[in-house]
Amino acid sequence: MKKPVTYLGEAFFYFISLLFLICIIWILLTPAKYFVANEFQKIFENKGEVRATLKYNELLAKNNISRENFSPRIVIRKKTREMSIYANSIKIATYTVGLGRNAIGRKQNKDDLKTPEGNYYICKKDLNHKYHMFLQINYPSSEDAERARNNLVISNLDWQNISQAEANGNPPPSNTELGGEIGIHGFGSESSWTKDGSISLNNIDLEEVYWNIPIGCRVEILP
């Protein structure tokens, strides 16, 4: 014989289930379904744009910086796996990052699993990247290309193509021995796991960076 407490527990469970089912049916049979569908569509389409913009508006206001005067700069410190966003000398935000699997040292070629070091800038943004979203840096830069040419890693033609792309403000070619299409993307910062040397963030952090950092933003990657 079941105890009264057991009957009460089962009755409560069935009541909640029935209430949930009624709510679902009500949504499907009334105009509310369009509202719900629209809200879900907003969530998946803007990928955190509203939240990310509001968050940075608060951070900028806290530091007495207007959105119009916000000229960000990114500094990535490989040793501490930190990425900081600066406005002039003021640190606005800091995020934990993942790096290439072989994180120590300057990137020398496409297969060394290292994250580049040096001065770069955001040259392209991709909202629909396979790792959530993507901010590409201009690696290999003309400086990387010149070093690689002197070390006989790439040809004179490769060096010219990379240097010309940088002069024109275009993403560098990625079909040389230096690799390319490296940047900041999502899918987690708990470890250093990227094969190409890209910088990885948790998706929610990436959304803040993506929606507030423009193409052309300077990126300094330190050892």
Side-chain angles (χ1 to χ4, degrees):
M1 182 176 180
K2 291 186 177 180
K3 296 180 179 180
V5 174
T6 304
Y7 283 117
L8 287 174
E10 290 181 352
F12 180 75
F13 172 78
Y14 289 126
F15 173 75
I16 294 297
S17 299
L18 180 61
L19 184 62
F20 179 76
L21 182 61
I22 291 172
C23 289
I24 295 296
I25 294 173
W26 178 78
I27 289 173
L28 293 176
L29 296 180
T30 67
K33 64 184 177 184
Y34 300 109
F35 172 78
V36 173
N38 187 55
E39 291 304 306
F40 274 101
Q41 185 179 27
K42 287 180 181 178
I43 291 172
F44 289 106
E45 279 188 353
N46 65 27
K47 292 188 175 181
E49 180 180 7
V50 173
R51 181 196 61 81
T53 302
L54 291 174
K55 172 71 176 295
Y56 264 63
N57 285 345
E58 293 176 0
L59 293 173
L60 293 175
K62 182 179 179 181
N63 290 280
N64 297 315
I65 301 171
S66 67
R67 175 66 73 166
E68 293 74 19
N69 294 326
F70 179 42
S71 181
R73 175 174 58 94
I74 297 175
V75 178
I76 298 169
R77 295 175 173 84
K78 293 168 62 175
K79 184 177 181 180
T80 56
R81 289 177 49 213
E82 289 182 338
M83 181 172 77
S84 298
I85 311 297
Y86 287 87
N88 296 323
S89 60
I90 302 173
K91 185 186 293 186
I92 300 299
T94 299
Y95 306 98
T96 300
V97 300
L99 303 168
R101 294 182 181 181
N102 186 15
I104 298 175
R106 186 191 299 271
K107 189 170 186 64
Q108 303 290 338
N109 61 70
K110 62 183 180 182
D111 298 318
D112 62 12
L113 307 178
K114 295 180 184 295
T115 296
E117 296 174 6
N119 295 308
Y120 302 95
Y121 61 86
I122 302 297
C123 63
K124 182 180 178 182
K125 295 172 70 174
D126 183 0
L127 181 59
N128 298 304
H129 191 262
K130 64 180 180 179
Y131 293 130
H132 193 45
M133 297 186 290
F134 187 58
L135 298 91
Q136 183 177 344
I137 64 172
N138 65 313
Y139 170 88
S141 66
S142 58
E143 183 177 344
D144 295 316
E146 184 173 0
R147 186 184 309 109
R149 182 188 63 165
N150 293 338
N151 292 332
L152 305 179
V153 176
I154 61 172
S155 66
N156 282 330
L157 180 59
D158 288 336
W159 167 73
Q160 291 173 359
N161 289 337
I162 293 169
S163 299
Q164 190 62 49
E166 183 173 300
N168 294 335
N170 296 324
S174 59
N175 59 349
T176 74
E177 286 302 310
L178 288 176
E181 295 187 0
I182 290 176
I184 303 166
H185 61 58
F187 276 39
S189 63
E190 289 75 16
S191 63
S192 292
W193 57 272
T194 66
K195 292 183 179 179
D196 63 355
S198 284
I199 297 95
S200 63
L201 285 166
N202 293 328
N203 286 358
I204 193 170
D205 294 336
L206 174 65
E207 290 166 1
E208 293 183 7
V209 175
Y210 185 93
W211 292 115
N212 292 285
I213 299 300
I215 291 176
C217 176
R218 290 179 294 157
V219 180
E220 183 179 5
I221 306 179
L222 303 173

